[in-house]
Structure formats: structure tokens, C-alpha cells
Amino acid sequence: MKDLVINNPNHSAATNPSNESDLWHESAVRQQMFSSRQDGFQTPTISKYQLADEQTSEKRQERLSNDSPRIRLQSGPNGDFGHHSVSGSEVSLGERLQEKLQWKERVRHYTWTFFTMTMATGGIANVLYSVPFRFPGLYAIGVIFFLLNIVLFVFNLVMVSLRFCLYPDTFKASILHPTERLFLPAAIVSFGTVLVNISQYGPSRAGHWLNDAMAVLFWINAALAFLASMGVYLVMQVYPYDSICFRLIRARWSTQSFTIAQMTPVWIFPAYPLLLVGPYAGVLSKVLSRKRAMQVIIGGFTLQGIGFLVALMIYSAFLYRLMVHKLPREAARPGMFVSVGPCGFTATGIISMAEGAQRSLPDNFMGDSKLAAMILNIIASWASLWIWGLALWFFFISVGAHWSFVHKDHLLDFKMTWFSYVFPNTALVTATFAIGKAFDIRAIQILACVMTSILVALWFGVVGMMIRAIFLKQILWPQKGEDRDEGGFEAPRKRSESV
């Protein structure tokens, strides 16, 4: 057992001029990092900081004043500080977190990743709408998921807004955090799934005015998707830490490196808002006027191409990472399913937009609009077959990476990235339905129906695990979510938490 001595923040700085957090970070920098502009620079990870902490524990204890009030935490074999002793004016950090952390304080950790819940719910509603073999009640089940998605989306907006209102410093931190910022586009994707669901389930009940409203919202969503995807990749080049003590003091352009060994398909996630524009355009193109439908198809095809090509380039980095390094750590492997989504959404979008183009092409388009529509449909179907096959390949790679879980005697802690089991695979299922319809292969459509049943059951399982994780304090808890200290980034804390 090792002892880690942490200064009481209420103790006078004059008595003990050294700050434990500064010592800890300074030692980590010295042990693990070069200057950000030197060759060999590597963004530190939590494990590296833990190693640096173990190597400098004795030195830090010698530098701390023996006369200062302090908290003594004893670390276990796994590096967790579950055992502590308190005497005199000492305060128990573990007791304070476990007994005094109220729900209002837990809202601080309601991160952008909670929008993956609405992405998955809207994806299920989209899949149920695409099922070709209808039965009584299927439409009603789809409507339930659609309405639930709206409720959850509004709830997420309220909770995230509440987080930023109660703790204003978390807004900037959520944008600059090396992991949480990758999930900022989840809010835009969730908005896109809501719009797609409304376009699918709404017009038959509301009338033509809703189609016009959805056409306007299409361009708003397209603009948000483009800005969000581009903005996140730009922010990834901003180095918000001081090169010595990693304090969040300024944002400046830098040569910050993200090593290939740490790469996961989650890096694709900022491109996801663009990948939903094509399927959205395909749905609208079948109900709008010919002129407006053609405009939507051109815009949707352009943005879908941008998103897919960006994802395709990141695919190459992911494949290189798999060849030269081992699989991602087990906690990050659910995110491997993110690689399935770009191909699935693109195949669905291309086929649906080609179908919409058959009624939307202007007269005498390229000499013969009917012939042009037929050629476009043929090219779209066969090109989508390649892309669908690539989605299947990434799906089986992701499934195979989870084989080691079968031999585990215990469950991993729940993370909101577990919804990656659902949402990206909804894209694969809708693409399977589209391929089966385009080539009129009934067996493929039946296979997609089986996959749909599995996805719905999986959604219930992940939601159940999420509720369980909230009560077990695996999420919405300090240092448990995507807002944890990571890669040199120290999440903002209240004074009472800065121990």
C-alpha cells in the first residue's frame, strides 16, 4: 500500500507554498513529455500520469510541509484510493464524494455523450420505419420510439444547459477536453435523427405544411452539420495547455500530436452530422415538389460525399493502427462500431436519393431525364453494394474485437459509448434493407428484419445498463465520464473538490 499526501486547500499558502496539483503535473511533464514543438511529443494518458505519480510519490512527500493539515489516502493495487485515514483537521475525500455529492452536483458531469442515447433511439425509429414486411402495431411501435426520442432530446438539452448554467466553466472545458469535444456533434446528429423521424412519421398526419417546414430545417441542419464537423477538427488542433504545468490559460495554434497508438474510430465521430444529411435528403426528395426535391438531393449528395470521404481517410489511420498496435483497450472497444456508421448511412443515402431523383429530375436533364434517372439508379445501387460490403467488414471486425469479453468474469464499467452498439448498426440495418430492395433479394430483407429484432433488444439492454450505472455511480460521477482528467487536461473543479 502506498500513501499519497494531499494538501488541504484551506491551509494557508504561506505555510506551504507548494501546490500538490502543480507538483503532480510538473513531474508528469518532466517524466513523459517533450515540448509540444519538438519531435517525439506525445499527448499523455491517464496511465502515464499514474506511472509518473508512483515514481515521484516519495519526492512529493518530502517536499510537502510536515506541519500542514493534510488528507492521507492509501492506494490499492489497482491505483484506486479506496482506503483513507483521517485525523485532527483532516477531511475524508472519499466520504465527501460518496455521501455529500447531491444530484445537483452530479449534473456537472452530464456530458455531450448523453446525446448518443437520443441518436440510438431515433435510429431505432428509423429502422422500424424501413421494415418492408409490415404487421399491425409496427407503425405504432415506431411512433413510440419517435416520440420517446423527442422527449429524450429535449431532456438532454435541458440537462446540458443546466450543467452549463450551474457550472459555467464546464462549457469551455467541454469544447477543449480531448475526449468530450469529439462527442459535441452528437447533439447535431440527435437533431438530425429527430428531423428524419418527423419527415417519416409526420406528413401522413400533419399535411403538406410539415414538408415545407422540414425542407427549411434540412438546410439549417446541413449548415449546422458542416460547421460542427469542421469546427471540432479545428479545435483538435488547438493546444489549450501551458507547456510546463498544463494549466488551461490560453488557446493557441500548436503542433499538438495525437498518437496513432491512441487512435480509435471515435475520431470519425465529428463527421457523423454530415453522414445523416444524405438519408434525410432521400426521405424528403420523395414528398417535396420536383424543384425543391432536386435542390435537396444536390445538397444532400454533396454533404454526404464530404462526410464519407473524411471518414474514409480516417479509416486508413484506424487500419494502420490495427496493423502496428494491439486492439484498443477494452473500455474503448464499443467505440469500434462507430466505423460501421459512415458506410451504412452512405449506402442508404445514395440509394434513397437515386430513387427520389427519378421523380425530381427536370425535363430534358442531360438530354433524356428518364434515361439519366435510370443510369443514376443503376450506378447508385452497384456503388452502394461496395459500400455496404465495407460496412459489413467493419462490423465483423468490431464484433471480433469483443471476443475477449466472453472470458471475462466481471462486467466492464458502463460508458455512454455503449450506445455505439446501437446507433451505427442502425445504419447497417437500413442499408441492408435498401440493398435488398434495390436488387429485389428477399433473403437480404429477411436478414435485415432479424438484425432489427436484435437491435431493439440491444437498445433495451443498453438503456437498462445505463440506469444501473447511474445508481452504481459509474456515470454522472467525478472522474468516471468523458469529462475526466485526461491527456494533460484537468477538468475544472469547485474549490471543495480541488484537493
Side-chain angles (χ1 to χ4, degrees), residues 411-416 418-419 421 458-472 474-475:
L411 291 175
L412 294 175
D413 286 352
F414 178 86
K415 303 293 182 184
M416 291 303 296
W418 282 28
F419 279 102
Y421 291 132
L458 194 58
W459 181 88
F460 280 103
V462 174
V463 170
M465 292 297 292
M466 179 189 69
I467 296 174
R468 172 180 176 270
I470 293 175
F471 288 100
L472 293 181
Q474 295 176 354
I475 56 177

Side-chain angles (χ1 to χ4, degrees), residues 134-450:
R134 314 300 294 181
F135 62 86
L138 180 59
Y139 182 83
I141 296 173
V143 170
I144 291 173
F145 275 96
F146 158 52
L147 297 177
L148 178 61
N149 186 38
I150 294 179
V151 172
L152 292 176
F153 179 69
V154 174
F155 178 77
N156 282 338
L157 287 178
V158 171
M159 294 299 292
V160 169
S161 301
L162 192 61
R163 174 199 182 192
F164 297 147
C165 290
L166 293 176
Y167 310 101
D169 51 355
T170 60
F171 176 72
K172 183 178 181 180
S174 70
I175 298 177
L176 298 179
H177 191 282
T179 296
E180 186 181 357
R181 67 185 172 195
L182 292 175
F183 291 92
L184 193 152
I188 309 299
V189 178
S190 297
F191 178 61
T193 60
V194 170
L195 295 182
V196 171
N197 291 160
I198 293 176
S199 300
Q200 292 170 330
Y201 292 95
S204 61
R205 304 290 182 181
H208 293 290
W209 68 268
L210 185 59
N211 291 333
D212 296 334
M214 289 297 101
V216 174
L217 289 173
F218 169 84
W219 295 109
I220 295 176
N221 178 68
L224 291 175
F226 185 79
L227 293 176
S229 61
M230 182 177 60
V232 171
Y233 285 124
L234 285 175
V235 171
M236 289 177 69
Q237 303 303 320
V238 174
Y239 186 58
Y241 318 114
D242 184 81
S243 60
I244 298 178
C245 63
F246 288 104
R247 291 295 184 182
L248 187 62
I249 58 176
R250 66 183 181 273
R252 59 184 175 85
W253 289 100
S254 173
T255 56
Q256 183 182 11
S257 299
F258 293 88
T259 62
I260 197 68
Q262 300 168 350
M263 193 273 174
T264 68
V266 174
W267 288 13
I268 301 174
F269 203 81
Y272 256 65
L274 295 171
L275 296 169
L276 212 62
V277 176
Y280 186 14
V283 173
L284 286 180
S285 65
K286 300 174 184 177
V287 295
L288 295 177
S289 63
R290 292 179 61 184
K291 182 177 180 180
R292 299 187 72 177
M294 190 62 186
Q295 295 172 350
V296 166
I297 289 174
I298 293 176
F301 200 88
T302 301
L303 293 180
Q304 187 72 31
I306 295 174
F308 179 70
L309 291 177
V310 169
L312 195 64
M313 289 183 281
I314 299 177
Y315 276 154
S316 61
F318 178 54
L319 292 177
Y320 177 73
R321 182 243 187 278
L322 291 179
M323 287 188 290
V324 299
H325 297 281
K326 61 183 180 180
L327 290 170
R329 56 190 175 87
E330 292 183 342
R333 290 184 196 177
M336 292 182 65
F337 283 99
V338 173
S339 61
V340 178
C343 297
F345 285 123
T346 301
T348 304
I350 290 177
I351 292 178
S352 61
M353 286 187 287
E355 292 176 353
Q358 295 185 33
R359 59 172 292 274
S360 305
L361 293 179
D363 296 334
N364 297 322
F365 180 79
M366 293 187 177
D368 189 337
S369 58
K370 292 184 178 180
L371 179 61
M374 184 181 301
I375 295 174
L376 178 62
N377 193 37
I378 293 173
I379 295 176
S381 298
W382 285 96
S384 297
L385 194 61
W386 277 13
I387 300 173
W388 175 66
L390 185 59
L392 286 174
W393 189 84
F394 277 112
F395 172 78
F396 286 114
I397 288 290
S398 303
V399 171
H402 286 70
W403 177 250
S404 62
F405 291 177
V406 177
H407 307 286
K408 290 292 182 181
D409 297 329
H410 62 279
L411 291 175
L412 294 175
D413 286 352
F414 178 86
K415 303 293 182 184
M416 291 303 296
T417 52
W418 282 28
F419 279 102
S420 299
Y421 291 132
V422 181
F423 181 69
N425 292 323
T426 62
L428 176 61
V429 175
T430 54
T432 304
F433 279 128
I435 291 293
K437 179 181 178 182
F439 291 93
D440 194 20
I441 302 177
R442 187 179 180 87
I444 293 180
Q445 293 178 321
I446 293 175
L447 174 63
C449 290
V450 175

